[in-house]
């Protein structure tokens, strides 16, 4: 879904804005994956992206459960991506690798997405995917995690009302993006 991502706000592919780029593709990717696999309830779904297509070798050799994790559990051996802002250096990114951590940092956004999918009054992927898509279009090229959280909260409010906006806000609080 990176093809769709590139037609949005043209996010700078570095640090937090690059992580937003990665997470947007991951969010829509896992929503499509769940639909195709008939996993309609986020509370019981597998939250490891691309878990169905991994080879046995990758599963055994790397202990992989998927390419990306939307949970507190790592996707593969040695994966230590932050699930909370307190695990990120004070300046908000990882300057030494991966375009300042675009893949590592995206994990906490994925965790927040799972939390609000599960937390919706009617748990599903439809509303959260709509929120993610419409909020994505509100972002600027250098948006950061707080910008994303605010955009998704306001989009949830616009599309579905205050109760759903509060669920999205709580998800971002739980990963430390909002206080």
């Amino acid at each position: 879904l990176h093809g769709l991502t590139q037609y949005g706000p043209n996010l700078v592919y570095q640090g937090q804005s690059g992580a937003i780029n990665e997470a947007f593709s991951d969010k829509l990717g896992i929503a499509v994956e769940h639909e195709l696999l008939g996993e309609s309830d986020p509370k019981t779904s597998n939250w490891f992206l691309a878990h169905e297509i991994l080879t046995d070798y990758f599963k055994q050799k790397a202990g992989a459960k998927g390419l990306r994790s939307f949970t507190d559990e790592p996707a593969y051996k040695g994966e230590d991506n932050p699930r909370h802002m307190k695990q990120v250096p004070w300046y908000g990114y990882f300057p030494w690798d991966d375009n300042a951590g675009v893949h590592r940092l995206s994990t906490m956004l994925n965790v927040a997405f799972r939390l609000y999918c599960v937390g919706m009054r009617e748990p599903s992927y439809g509303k959260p995917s709509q929120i993610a898509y419409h909020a994505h279009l509100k972002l600027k090229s250098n948006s950061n995690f707080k910008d994303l959280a605010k955009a998704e909260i306001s989009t949830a409010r616009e599309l579905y009302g205050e109760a759903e906006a509060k669920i999205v806000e709580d998800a971002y609080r739980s990963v430390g993006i909002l206080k």
Side-chain angles (χ1 to χ4, degrees):
L1 291 166
H2 284 283
L4 178 62
T5 305
Q6 73 183 2
Y7 292 106
N10 196 24
L11 292 160
V12 174
Y13 195 71
Q14 187 171 2
Q16 290 190 13
S17 59
I20 293 168
N21 175 310
E22 285 295 328
F24 178 69
S25 294
D26 291 350
K27 290 172 187 181
L28 296 186
I30 203 154
V32 168
E33 180 178 319
H34 288 299
E35 286 295 322
L36 291 175
L37 295 173
E39 297 176 359
S40 58
D41 184 356
K43 292 180 179 180
T44 59
S45 295
N46 185 317
W47 282 96
F48 292 96
L49 183 62
H51 67 279
E52 289 289 318
I53 63 168
L54 294 177
T55 64
D56 288 337
Y57 175 81
F58 191 57
K59 288 177 184 177
Q60 292 169 1
K61 188 76 170 171
K65 297 174 184 167
L67 297 178
R68 301 263 204 286
S69 175
F70 284 69
T71 72
D72 289 331
E73 202 174 327
Y76 48 84
K77 287 181 198 170
E79 186 249 283
D80 64 347
N81 296 346
R83 268 74 174 163
H84 194 279
M85 280 302 290
K86 68 183 176 196
Q87 298 168 304
V88 177
W90 65 270
Y91 39 84
Y93 60 94
F94 297 94
W96 54 87
D97 70 345
D98 188 30
N99 285 340
V102 298
H103 292 96
R104 295 188 71 203
L105 289 168
S106 69
T107 302
M108 78 180 78
L109 303 177
N110 292 347
V111 170
F113 182 74
R114 177 186 54 83
L115 291 173
Y116 73 77
C117 282
V118 169
M120 290 283 159
R121 289 179 294 166
E122 297 169 26
S124 73
Y125 306 103
K127 284 182 181 180
S129 297
Q130 289 291 318
I131 292 166
Y133 175 76
H134 291 286
H136 186 75
L137 297 176
K138 295 178 178 180
L139 300 175
K140 305 284 186 241
S141 64
N142 62 345
S143 291
N144 63 32
F145 289 172
K146 286 184 181 175
D147 297 330
L148 174 65
K150 290 174 186 175
E152 288 191 354
I153 292 164
S154 70
T155 300
R157 185 176 291 113
E158 292 161 11
L159 295 176
Y160 304 112
E162 194 58 44
E164 305 297 18
K166 177 76 169 106
I167 292 164
V168 175
E169 181 178 343
D170 289 346
Y172 279 103
R173 286 186 194 289
S174 71
V175 296
I177 291 171
L178 298 176
K179 296 188 186 217

